[in-house]
Amino acid sequence: CTSPLPGYGPSPSGDEWPGGCVGKCAGADRVKATLRALRSAQSHPGLLPGSLRVVLPLTSGGKGAYAALRYKPDASGAKKGVVIVFNFSHRPSNVTINIQYTLIASGQNTVDLIQGGMGPPVQPHATSWVVSVEGHGWKAIGVTLSKNKGR
C-alpha cells in the first residue's frame, strides 16, 4: 500500500497502514454514506447533535424501516429539516411516510444529502411521501418545513 502523504513510497513489509490502504479498508464502502452526510451537517443543522427529532409515521415499510425528522431553527428562525430513513431489510424498499400531520411541507423538491442532487419530490397537497432505500441502507434528505402544519 502506498502512503497517501506526498514523499512517502510504498510501506515496507510489516509496516503497512493499519486496516489496509486508506479508503480500501474492510467496511470502507459502508461508512462512505455516513462521511458524506457529516460533511453536509454544516449546511443542514438537523444533522448536528442537539437537533430536535420526531419519529415519522410509516404507512409501508413495516418493522423493517424507520424514519425521523430532524430539525433545528436557524438564525432567521426558519427551520431546515432532514428526514432520515433507514431500511433494516436486506431487500430494497419503498418506504411510505405519512406526512399529513408533520412539519414537512408538501409540493417541494428535496435534496439527497448523501448522494447529492435531487431527492424524491413531495407532491403538492400530498399526505404521504415515498422514499426508496436500498437493502440495509439509509437516506438523509433535506426538506423544507411548513410553519402551519403539525400543530
Side-chain angles (χ1 to χ4, degrees), residues 57-122:
L58 303 180
T59 56
S60 77
K63 293 181 180 180
Y66 171 85
L69 170 65
R70 295 181 56 103
Y71 65 95
K72 189 172 190 177
D74 65 14
S76 68
K79 292 179 183 172
K80 288 184 176 183
V82 177
V83 173
I84 308 293
V85 183
F86 293 93
N87 178 12
F88 300 110
S89 171
H90 67 279
R91 296 180 185 164
S93 180
N94 290 324
V95 178
T96 304
I97 302 167
N98 181 345
I99 63 168
Q100 187 171 9
Y101 301 109
T102 70
L103 291 171
I104 300 169
S106 60
Q108 66 169 297
N109 291 318
T110 64
V111 179
D112 186 327
L113 299 177
I114 296 173
Q115 300 298 325
M118 301 297 288
V122 181

Side-chain angles (χ1 to χ4, degrees), residues 118-134:
M118 301 297 288
V122 181
Q123 299 302 319
H125 312 292
T127 58
S128 63
W129 177 40
V130 179
V131 178
S132 298
V133 185
E134 64 188 42

Side-chain angles (χ1 to χ4, degrees), residues 1-3 5-12 17:
C1 179
T2 302
S3 168
L5 303 173
Y8 295 89
S11 297
W17 287 86

